[in-house]
Amino acid sequence: MGKQRLVVIGNGMAGVRCVEEILAHGRDRFDIQIFGGEPHPNYNRIMLSKVLQGDTTVADITINDWQWYRDNGITLHAGDPVIHLDTARRLVVSEQGRTVPYDKLILATGSLPFMLPLPGADKSGVTAFRDIRDCNKMVEASKEYRKAVVIGGGLLGLEAARGLLNLGMDVHVVHIHHYLMERQLDFTAAGMLRKELESQGMKFLLEKHTERIIGKKRVEGLQFKDGSKVEADLVVMAVGVRPNIQLAQDSWIETNRAIVVNDYMETNVPDVYAVGECAEHRGMVYGLVAPLYEQGKVLAKRICGLETEGYAGSTLYSQLKVSGVEVFSAGEIRDSEVSTSLQIYDGIRNTYKKVFVRDNKIVGAVLFGDSSEGNQLLGYIKQQADVSVLDEGKAGSAGGGADEAYAESLPLTATVCSCNGVSKGAILDAVREGGCATVEDIRACTRASGTCGGCKPLVTAMLQLALRSKDAPPPAKLTVCGCTPHSHEELRAAVRSAAFASAREAMDALGWGTPDGCGICRPAVRYYVGLAQSAAGRRQGEAAVQLPAASLLANGTYAVRPRMYGGVTSAEQLRRIAGAIEKYAIPVAKLTGGGYLELLGIDAAVAAAVSAEVGLPGVAAAGGTGAGAPAGYAASTSAVEAVAAAAVNGNIDAGVAAGSTTNRNSRLVADVGATANSNSGLVADVGDTANSNSRLVADVGATANRNSGAVADVGATANRNSGAVADVGSTANSNAGVAANATHALGTPIEAASVELPYWLSSPLSASYGRTVGTVATCAGLGYDHGAQRDSVGLGARLERRLEQLPMPAAVSVAVSASPLHRAGSLAKDLGLVGAPAGWEIYVGGSSGIKIRQGELLCTEPSDEEALDVASAYLQWYREEADYGETTAQWTERKGITGIREGLFDLHFRAELMTRMKVKLKSEEGAPVRGVGLSHDACQLHESANTQRIAAWSR
């Protein structure tokens, strides 16, 4: 199949950037021709004011020179605009008479300057400020004339005025409003800006309505509606732009304010697309470069036939230098749109900061004089962060150090240059590995600060940060613990690459420094091995037993937590619970803040019976000499925890450490994972087993059976009335005396000795590895919750059934709210689903622990099934890739919300995650798969990609 013919109408920043993205996906896909109205290659229009001001040249602001077009096989028709488009015959006709056929067509016609229809607007000396030609006109006029008037007090008008001042002209700025840059600044910041610009020589005529331009052949001045006048030899109109859509209108392409496109930048005509200032997306027309580049990325993937999420709109912001003054503006900045605000004014440094708040959420910000906090505030605005986050940043701080401190605090995935999508990590790599030593080098290598220049202070801070650490020795590798040289990532990869049957086997093979590990690495190894086994679909446990979900309390009694799916119970379950409370004299039954019921103060002797009577489903654990802990507690990280994971099967005195099990009248189990059965005395250390009246098992892995005396060391075994076994691996049988060392066992060769290893090292894995998801908190739901928009209770119950058997690397809390009022606390959970008019908003990475963190908006899904799939896939991805003990908040921050979105919006990848989750649940011995039927298999997901829109998500 030959190349397809791609025609791009427009040689501006948006269209050519889209072409660059297309080339990145494959240079041989298209034969590309570009038509441009200007006789120049692609240049940075934003930097025209710098050319006018004399700070740079046209060559310096050229983005792609003539050679770039030749190198990429692109035919550029510069200075030859398209004047006719025939979508039926798929042809374009240019001003110079070229007729070019196309298979795909991109309209990137941009905008035209808006010229006020004033009497006299056609006189010589009246110009716009939009392109290189306009710039040249003003430079030529400054050589002969002295008096200039700029109509328009927005950003473009002020930049033009600054340039004319630099050219030696006397400049007045006429503005219809009562303060400058009213779209980007509030009244206070605008007043500070006006004062600064007046000190530079600008003069302002505010609240002036121009009636006519006076003069004979050439402009001589302006007359206002109030009768006043101002002299002028040059008039520059900088009052805005209008989308250039005439070509589309003449071709029956749907237009409104601009060319109407969907989330994939497609028009109503097949194979015709629009991008940039000429495109209208969901009623919005964007003029800033960052949204246009985001549109170009989506369009490039779409036109190349690649899977992509749709463009969902952008948060508008400006980070600029206006005549040398740093200005930042983002979000909602009108006092009428917000409920309150934080204002900080520093008259000495001439800086100003205002953060706009609605319903305790940050929705907008204005900075003047110091924009170093701009990126951070933009992140808060996109997340709709709680106002409390401002306390962490010492809101009143200012000065140059803020940039470097903020630069150091950012994760590597954080975006530094929004225009070009350049991350902190990319900039650091450019310095450390690419040899960049200046901001100009970084710009050439990564494009950071190369478009609007607003991020240059932060890029400078990143450069200093990278240079300081460039020659420093690399940080020491963070290992799982002191028992192993492996990091979590290395350990996880090693376990995945092998087929270890047990944690013991993994530790032996991977060269553990401490033979039996410690309380930190043991649960981590168990988790990674269990995860690998479940991924392979191997059955986990030959003889599974059911353990009650009982946890030890501080006073030595136990707690039982009946499971109520989605927080909903029934009369029958309540009667069972009430009956158990009365029957076993349970002193306390209370509702927790997490939305579940706990029965507290249960005697150890009846804990199992209570669990059974309240109908609590058991958690499968491996059989053998030891037993796993209840789900949610097997991941205890310290051996000195007070039986955080103890499993109790009857009449014991106490279990002293995590994971130990005692059965039938045993007195004491002293350490992790030990087991004592049938009147045994004391099991003293890790993984030991004592059976049938044995007195003492003294060390790791030892076993004593039926009236034996003492087993003194590791792995030894004593059977049936034997005396003492004194050393490693020895065996004494049937009334024998003493086996003295590891080189000989009475009657049994050492190779055949019966050695019992600790259960957590030797037994097959079970569902008890990791931490399972508890009750999914829900609000009252439809019909009961005022403002409820979705069935939170039903979805919460379905989600809980789907997740209840999935072991996690850390504790995970989930909540489902029926409305954006978040009555279930969904913003502070690891996973929160919120009912909204457009569907279910999904928030991830929240925390209500020691460090409170608001969840980040992942996406909005229109249906219950899609919301369940995305939520489940997120947690499956988290459990597969997170370090053991790493919370969703830490993992989400480390990976970056953008990277997570990109992964989950890849429908093939999401389907793979769902398939692996299904395999894991099916692999559990005796565990039914509850509510995990996937809404789409991988094939269906792929086929539906072209017809289903992934709903809005915050960027």
Side-chain angles (χ1 to χ4, degrees):
M1 181 179 176
K3 293 182 180 181
Q4 287 190 297
R5 298 165 299 186
L6 172 63
V7 172
V8 182
I9 302 177
N11 189 39
M13 296 174 70
V16 177
R17 182 54 178 268
C18 182
V19 170
E20 290 179 346
E21 297 286 346
I22 292 171
L23 292 174
H25 295 308
R27 293 180 176 271
D28 298 326
R29 292 176 180 268
F30 297 99
D31 177 29
I32 304 174
Q33 296 194 50
I34 301 176
F35 288 84
E38 295 186 67
H40 309 284
N42 177 39
Y43 65 89
N44 186 348
R45 195 181 303 277
I46 298 172
M47 303 299 288
L48 269 179
S49 58
K50 304 300 180 186
V51 175
L52 181 63
Q53 293 165 19
D55 296 334
T56 189
T57 66
V58 172
D60 292 330
I61 67 171
T62 299
I63 300 174
N64 304 101
D65 59 17
W66 299 106
Q67 188 61 42
W68 177 84
Y69 294 88
R70 289 190 288 268
D71 291 344
N72 288 284
I74 298 171
T75 302
L76 172 61
H77 305 290
D80 186 16
V82 171
I83 59 172
H84 177 67
L85 169 59
D86 187 338
T87 57
R89 298 169 59 199
R90 294 185 175 231
L91 297 172
V92 300
V93 180
S94 75
E95 188 175 68
Q96 295 178 11
R98 291 186 176 93
T99 299
V100 177
Y102 69 84
D103 298 305
K104 306 280 186 181
L105 176 69
I106 297 176
L107 295 171
T109 49
S111 293
L112 299 172
F114 183 75
M115 300 296 288
L116 294 173
L118 298 173
D122 56 347
K123 295 183 185 300
S124 176
V126 179
T127 183
F129 182 33
R130 181 63 179 170
D131 55 28
I132 292 175
R133 183 180 58 182
D134 296 331
C135 194
N136 290 336
K137 281 184 182 179
M138 287 185 273
V139 172
E140 290 302 315
S142 69
K143 296 176 182 179
E144 185 176 353
Y145 302 102
R146 296 269 67 85
K147 297 178 181 179
V149 171
V150 177
I151 303 177
L155 173 64
L156 189 63
L158 296 179
E159 290 286 10
R162 177 66 260 180
L164 292 171
L165 278 177
N166 287 5
L167 292 172
M169 300 193 77
D170 179 63
V171 182
H172 280 80
V173 176
V174 176
H175 195 46
I176 194 172
H177 294 279
H178 65 288
Y179 65 90
L180 303 173
M181 290 184 66
E182 71 282 352
R183 292 186 178 182
Q184 291 88 14
L185 303 180
D186 69 343
F187 182 76
T188 302
M192 296 173 70
L193 177 62
R194 176 182 176 180
K195 182 178 179 181
E196 173 63 28
L197 296 181
E198 284 177 336
S199 71
Q200 297 178 15
M202 280 188 213
K203 301 169 185 176
F204 295 96
L205 299 171
L206 302 182
E207 297 184 89
K208 290 290 186 178
H209 296 256
T210 304
E211 185 175 57
R212 58 195 299 264
I213 297 173
I214 55 179
K216 295 182 179 179
K217 290 184 178 180
R218 183 177 182 89
V219 60
E220 297 177 7
L222 299 182
Q223 180 175 312
F224 302 110
K225 290 184 178 180
D226 62 3
S228 61
K229 297 179 181 179
V230 62
E231 293 183 352
D233 304 309
L234 174 69
V235 172
V236 179
M237 290 194 187
V239 292
V241 295
R242 55 184 175 85
N244 184 6
I245 61 174
Q246 189 62 52
L247 187 64
Q249 287 176 326
D250 292 343
S251 306
W252 300 101
I253 296 172
E254 183 182 359
T255 61
N256 186 32
R257 291 171 55 212
I259 303 170
V260 177
V261 296
N262 62 13
D263 289 355
Y264 300 99
M265 314 313 295
E266 298 166 321
T267 70
N268 64 313
V269 177
D271 295 320
V272 177
Y273 308 84
V275 67
E277 292 176 299
C278 67
E280 179 178 338
H281 173 262
R282 300 187 190 175
M284 286 290 295
V285 179
Y286 295 94
L288 299 176
V289 68
L292 310 190
Y293 283 1
E294 290 174 11
Q295 292 175 1
K297 288 182 178 181
V298 173
L299 175 52
K301 286 186 176 181
R302 189 66 164 185
I303 211 167
C304 290
L306 304 176
E307 296 289 349
T308 180
E309 72 277 11
Y311 175 64
S314 302
T315 299
L316 296 179
Y317 73 98
S318 301
Q319 187 162 347
L320 315 157
K321 266 197 174 182
V322 182
S323 298
V325 181
E326 291 184 14
V327 173
F328 172 86
S329 172
E332 301 174 22
I333 60 168
R334 302 277 78 81
D335 286 327
S336 60
E337 298 170 342
V338 300
S339 54
T340 188
S341 61
L342 166 71
Q343 296 186 70
I344 299 171
Y345 173 79
D346 187 337
I348 297 175
R349 295 186 178 90
N350 198 32
T351 61
Y352 172 73
K353 170 181 176 179
K354 187 171 184 178
V355 180
F356 297 83
V357 178
R358 183 175 60 240
D359 299 329
N360 284 330
K361 307 299 179 187
I362 298 174
V363 297
V366 169
L367 301 175
F368 178 87
D370 178 9
S371 62
S372 60
E373 291 183 75
N375 273 29
Q376 187 175 27
L377 288 170
L378 180 61
Y380 291 155
I381 294 166
K382 289 181 177 180
Q383 298 169 22
Q384 296 277 286
D386 190 271
V387 69
S388 60
V389 300
L390 295 175
D391 296 334
E392 302 175 8
K394 302 285 185 183
S397 66
D403 273 337
E404 291 193 26
Y406 176 55
E408 195 162 6
S409 71
L410 286 173
L412 292 176
T413 55
T415 299
V416 175
C417 176
S418 296
C419 292
N420 295 290
V422 184
S423 68
K424 172 183 175 179
I427 294 174
L428 296 185
D429 288 344
V431 177
R432 294 169 179 167
E433 300 174 12
C436 295
T438 65
V439 172
E440 288 70 26
D441 291 341
I442 294 173
R443 182 184 304 130
C445 181
T446 68
R447 291 191 172 178
S449 79
T451 301
C452 75
C455 62
K456 187 175 180 179
L458 188 54
V459 173
T460 303
M462 292 291 177
L463 172 64
Q464 298 305 317
L465 177 65
L467 291 175
R468 283 203 312 270
S469 60
K470 187 175 182 180
D471 299 325
K477 182 172 69 175
L478 185 62
T479 61
V480 176
C481 66
C483 303
T484 174
H486 298 297
S487 66
H488 279 280
E489 183 178 0
E490 292 169 340
L491 176 58
R492 189 166 53 244
V495 169
R496 283 175 179 170
S497 64
F500 297 122
S502 66
R504 169 79 280 170
E505 183 181 342
M507 293 168 73
D508 287 343
L510 298 176
W512 234 247
T514 305
D516 301 315
C518 66
I520 296 175
C521 63
R522 283 195 296 264
V525 177
R526 268 183 69 79
Y527 179 77
Y528 294 140
V529 172
L531 198 63
Q533 289 188 350
S534 70
R538 299 197 297 273
R539 299 170 74 86
Q540 301 179 24
E542 295 292 327
V545 295
Q546 295 295 314
L547 300 177
S551 55
L552 184 67
L553 301 175
N555 65 354
T557 62
Y558 286 80
V560 169
R561 184 182 298 171
R563 186 174 280 279
M564 300 175 179
Y565 294 103
V568 177
T569 186
S570 64
E572 180 184 355
Q573 185 181 25
L574 290 174
R575 280 192 290 268
R576 287 201 305 269
I577 294 171
I581 292 172
E582 293 178 349
K583 180 176 179 180
Y584 297 103
I586 299 173
V588 177
K590 73 177 296 292
L591 291 172
T592 70
Y596 47 79
L597 176 69
E598 276 193 331
L599 307 181
L600 307 177
I602 302 171
D603 186 78
V606 298
V610 171
S611 295
E613 291 204 17
V614 299
L616 196 63
V619 180
T625 60
Y633 295 93
S636 302
T637 58
S638 172
V640 299
E641 292 178 357
V643 197
V648 184
N649 292 330
N651 300 323
I652 66 167
D653 288 337
V656 180
S660 52
T661 304
T662 58
N663 299 311
R664 196 173 174 194
N665 300 311
S666 60
R667 292 195 354 245
L668 177 66
V669 179
D671 212 335
V672 181
T675 304
N677 299 309
S678 186
N679 300 306
S680 60
L682 173 67
V683 180
D685 213 333
V686 181
D688 309 320
T689 304
N691 298 309
S692 185
N693 300 305
S694 61
R695 293 197 346 250
L696 175 67
V697 179
D699 214 333
V700 180
T703 304
N705 298 310
R706 195 172 179 194
N707 300 309
S708 60
V711 179
D713 213 334
V714 180
T717 304
N719 298 310
R720 194 176 180 193
N721 300 309
S722 60
V725 180
D727 212 337
V728 179
S730 306
T731 304
N733 297 309
S734 187
N735 301 304
V738 176
N741 56 52
T743 63
H744 181 68
L746 294 179
T748 307
I750 186 66
E751 293 82 9
S754 175
V755 179
E756 300 256 4
L757 293 175
Y759 83 93
W760 47 265
L761 295 176
S762 60
S763 66
L765 273 295
S766 73
S768 63
Y769 71 88
R771 304 287 295 270
T772 54
V773 178
T775 297
V776 173
T778 62
C779 61
L782 286 173
Y784 302 99
D785 182 3
H786 293 291
Q789 299 182 24
R790 303 274 167 177
D791 182 8
S792 59
V793 176
L795 189 73
R798 292 180 63 191
L799 186 59
E800 185 173 341
R801 289 183 182 277
R802 179 177 286 198
L803 301 177
E804 65 176 325
Q805 298 173 55
L806 284 181
M808 299 290 169
V812 169
S813 60
V814 183
V816 182
S817 298
S819 74
L821 296 175
H822 304 287
R823 297 192 192 277
S826 40
L827 287 182
K829 302 295 184 183
D830 295 274
L831 174 65
L833 282 76
V834 180
W840 290 101
E841 294 178 349
I842 301 176
Y843 293 84
V844 297
S847 173
S848 57
I850 296 175
K851 184 178 180 180
I852 297 175
R853 185 180 191 270
Q854 178 175 301
E856 297 184 63
L857 179 62
L858 175 64
C859 61
T860 303
E861 293 298 332
S863 69
D864 290 5
E865 289 300 328
E866 288 169 303
L868 285 170
D869 282 355
V870 171
S872 302
Y874 167 80
L875 287 181
Q876 176 68 16
W877 194 6
Y878 160 68
R879 65 185 293 270
E880 290 181 0
E881 289 201 358
D883 295 342
Y884 181 78
E886 185 178 27
T887 65
T888 63
Q890 294 166 329
W891 181 74
T892 300
E893 186 170 337
R894 173 167 65 88
K895 197 162 188 70
I897 190 66
T898 301
I900 294 173
R901 286 191 188 115
E902 290 175 351
L904 294 179
F905 289 163
D906 181 335
L907 301 181
H908 285 295
F909 178 63
R910 190 199 305 177
E912 290 171 1
L913 290 172
M914 298 295 291
T915 299
R916 290 197 293 272
M917 184 180 78
K918 189 174 182 180
V919 169
K920 183 266 173 293
L921 295 180
K922 283 187 174 180
S923 70
E924 297 301 336
E925 177 70 22
V929 181
R930 306 182 192 214
V932 184
L934 300 178
S935 61
H936 308 282
D937 59 24
C939 180
Q940 289 172 323
L941 278 171
H942 176 69
E943 291 175 354
S944 66
N946 291 330
T947 57
Q948 293 186 349
R949 176 179 58 83
I950 296 176
W953 47 277
S954 173
R955 290 180 180 265

